[in-house]
Amino acid sequence: MSENRIITLLTDFGLEDGYVGIMKGAIAQINPLLKVIDLTHHIPPQNIAAGRFCLMNAFAYFPAETVHVAVVDPGVGSQRRGVGIEFEGGYLVGPDNGIFSGVLSLSPAIAAVELTNSDYWRCSHPSATFHGRDIFAPVGGHLASGVALTELGNNIDPNSLIKMPIPELKITNTGVTGFIQYVDRFGNLITNISAAAVAGKNWSVKIGNLKISPCQTYSDRSPGQIVALIGSHGWVEIAVNGGSAKSRLQLDRGDCVEMLF
Amino acid sequence: MSENRIITLLTDFGLEDGYVGIMKGAIAQINPLLKVIDLTHHIPPQNIAAGRFCLMNAFAYFPAETVHVAVVDPGVGSQRRGVGIEFEGGYLVGPDNGIFSGVLSLSPAIAAVELTNSDYWRCSHPSATFHGRDIFAPVGGHLASGVALTELGNNIDPNSLIKMPIPELKITNTGVTGFIQYVDRFGNLITNISAAAVAGKNWSVKIGNLKISPCQTYSDRSPGQIVALIGSHGWVEIAVNGGSAKSRLQLDRGDCVEMLF
Amino acid sequence: MSENRIITLLTDFGLEDGYVGIMKGAIAQINPLLKVIDLTHHIPPQNIAAGRFCLMNAFAYFPAETVHVAVVDPGVGSQRRGVGIEFEGGYLVGPDNGIFSGVLSLSPAIAAVELTNSDYWRCSHPSATFHGRDIFAPVGGHLASGVALTELGNNIDPNSLIKMPIPELKITNTGVTGFIQYVDRFGNLITNISAAAVAGKNWSVKIGNLKISPCQTYSDRSPGQIVALIGSHGWVEIAVNGGSAKSRLQLDRGDCVEMLF
């Protein structure tokens, strides 16, 4: 119990209601020295895929042994498992519903447990609706304080963890078809076409009658112009210099994107 | 001045304008080692009742001696008192306008002072409109650093603190009538009917022609179905599995809820 | 490298997407002991003037040597410079686009460098679209850890930093005409008329047929009444007691305000 690892929190709780502050209090009750960093609490309610995307893009920017607690948990209180996972970059704590599958697709699980040991929960009879407070935050607090993963519950096979794979690209006669997997606050459209998928290729994005050639950064085009580039997260992204591609192109998460090679 | 207690902040300042960051700076100027945890800054502007509700539900999840600074303060700069309060769970600092009365209904005040000693303010002539920055955050910073409550100003009778009681339930022929005291980000409708009020009873909620029997958690019902349960805060809550009860039932804060026994 | 200065962050990234959490991770990878305080991440996208205003009002409330990292950066990846600046209150790190000119108008630069030394970046080939993560947060982390400003790149003349001055007041026959430079979350209208400009004068604000005399605080007038006062930031502000002046007067940022002496 000598460690003071960093804990990150990612939830769909929003910041309006104090739920996140309460999770931080529950952690501070265990170890007031722990440092907690918010990834985001604005995942759209119950949108596991958006949580998976944000966590996948963030984990590599944290110190070794960081504990990532993620709670987008529509099945709270049901039979879905709570899990703790060790991977090369640190630890993952939350519901077993696929939210960790983006991280684990890039850095596989080394070990996993089901969170069955209530000694590390807030109380032995947790609320049926707020496991973030009663189980996941306390477990994260203990893990970040140096408790061994294996103390937290029964070992499980990492291959049994629920996966939520990112749909594969469809190969076409002229290139590939992908889709928009995330739209950020600027209205940038982030596709599921990775930098690796276009590496070394002469590519452009086709939207309706528009053909958009790639560039390096937003301001490579005039204000108001549409750009396509490899975003900072490593995915092909469609944006508008100084504007919102979402509004301009009337595209949103889930819509198809055609790429020409 | 040897302590490093945790400070929580609850305000209606929002996060858009830097007001909260400025309060944290004012605390760091006093003691850069203090840890500050945000409860929420999204209390609807000047809504003391919503602030009271959030603080009442949160305080028990923090370490002993935590200093809770709450600033929902429509009377800033007027004759309303600024107060510091000791209670079993720690300390409360803010305007004397009822915002602490939820906490104190569960854990009574041990001692209270009016914040009259300007030695612990940011400056002897505070702004008339931002006591969060000039009085409450600095006082909270000093208190969390180990300054005694009695140093902060004149003792006052805790019974003189302004109360904002939660309205009592109305007993009817068939059960009780309560009201919705809070609606959270998920659209869950949180009533003023406590777990204690329904303990051991066979209860259901009646809304229009609907009669909703209690369950344990959201996912006990099919997606889209209405549920009634004891929420994680200990109040009867009406929700929709995977949706918003607020939107679905067109109910909001202040609306009546009929409970049948 | 023995210091643990405070870092503040101000961006237009919002809190939805994890970008801010990633910046904090990048800082923690450099020095996990550093304390990071959010000023705001809700600057309207690419609105440098709003960022300048918020930073100008906040810097004085932080400890000496605080490092302020500000990223409102429509020119990211273009030829615009990244800069590090020393001033009496601490350090400034971000794009050279005028965002620091409010702070520097109150507390001039002592020294400045262009951030050319990639040893202090996250990587020698930063993303073209996220310098907050790859350059500014890491540079801020090193600076807060005690690296000398001059290590970060080539010295530049502080006078060469881009300025974005606040427009001067227009003197009229009856007083001055200013404009609304910021609207906060409460709908308070903050003008570019400073406390100094009205000191010792008998002033009132004229809006349409309304003439508003000054008072000390919001609650000096009845609920719903319009007030004019010197706000906590030192600018003349127009507000409504218990309401929004923006909604009530249908005025917004950029609109003119006529002051009578």
Side-chain angles (χ1 to χ4, degrees), chain A residues 11-183:
Chain A
T11 75
D12 62 352
F13 294 165
L15 296 175
E16 296 91 329
D17 303 307
Y19 296 137
V20 171
I22 287 170
M23 285 179 69
K24 292 177 182 173
I27 291 169
Q29 284 185 329
I30 289 164
N31 182 348
L33 299 179
L34 291 174
K35 181 174 197 160
V36 179
I37 294 179
D38 297 306
L39 284 183
T40 177
H41 300 289
H42 296 281
I43 299 296
Q46 290 131 4
N47 191 320
I48 299 167
R52 177 199 55 177
F53 179 79
C54 286
L55 192 56
M56 173 176 64
N57 291 321
F59 79 92
Y61 298 96
F62 285 83
E65 304 204 336
T66 293
V67 177
H68 300 282
V69 175
V71 192
V72 180
D73 193 11
V76 61
S78 71
Q79 292 305 308
R80 71 98 188 89
R81 303 186 293 193
V83 291
I85 302 166
E86 184 181 351
F87 73 113
E88 207 185 342
Y91 299 91
L92 306 168
V93 173
D96 181 23
N97 62 16
I99 195 167
F100 300 121
S101 59
V103 174
L104 297 177
S105 71
L106 300 174
S107 180
I110 294 169
V113 299
E114 182 175 355
L115 303 175
T116 48
N117 186 350
S118 62
D119 291 354
Y120 296 105
W121 303 356
R122 181 175 168 77
C123 48
S124 51
H125 295 287
S127 149
T129 55
F130 195 1
H131 285 191
R133 178 191 73 191
D134 293 342
I135 299 180
F136 300 130
V139 161
H142 286 295
L143 199 50
S145 302
V147 168
L149 184 75
T150 50
E151 290 291 305
L152 301 173
N154 300 328
N155 276 306
I156 56 174
D157 180 354
N159 288 317
S160 75
L161 293 167
I162 289 183
K163 289 177 189 62
M164 180 186 259
I166 295 165
E168 304 222 345
L169 302 178
K170 208 172 98 186
I171 295 173
T172 63
N173 287 335
T174 51
V176 294
T177 300
F179 78 111
I180 297 166
Q181 65 169 323
Y182 193 80
V183 180

Side-chain angles (χ1 to χ4, degrees), chain B residues 24-26 28-30 32, chain C residues 6 59-68 89-90:
Chain B
K24 293 177 181 173
Q29 284 185 329
I30 289 165
Chain C
I6 286 173
F59 79 93
Y61 298 95
F62 286 84
E65 304 204 334
T66 292
V67 177
H68 301 282

Side-chain angles (χ1 to χ4, degrees), chain B residues 58-112:
Chain B
F59 79 93
Y61 299 96
F62 285 84
E65 302 203 337
T66 292
V67 177
H68 300 283
V69 176
V71 192
V72 180
D73 193 10
V76 62
S78 72
Q79 292 305 309
R80 71 100 187 88
R81 303 185 292 193
V83 290
I85 302 165
E86 183 181 352
F87 74 112
E88 206 186 343
Y91 300 91
L92 307 168
V93 173
D96 180 23
N97 62 16
I99 195 167
F100 301 122
S101 59
V103 174
L104 298 176
S105 71
L106 299 174
S107 181
I110 296 168

Side-chain angles (χ1 to χ4, degrees), chain B residues 15 17 19 25 34 43 76 128, chain C residues 35 40 61 182 184-185 217 232:
Chain B
L15 295 175
D17 302 308
Y19 296 136
L34 291 174
I43 298 296
V76 62
Chain C
K35 181 174 198 159
T40 178
Y61 298 95
Y182 193 81
D184 75 10
R185 116 117 161 174
T217 190
S232 63

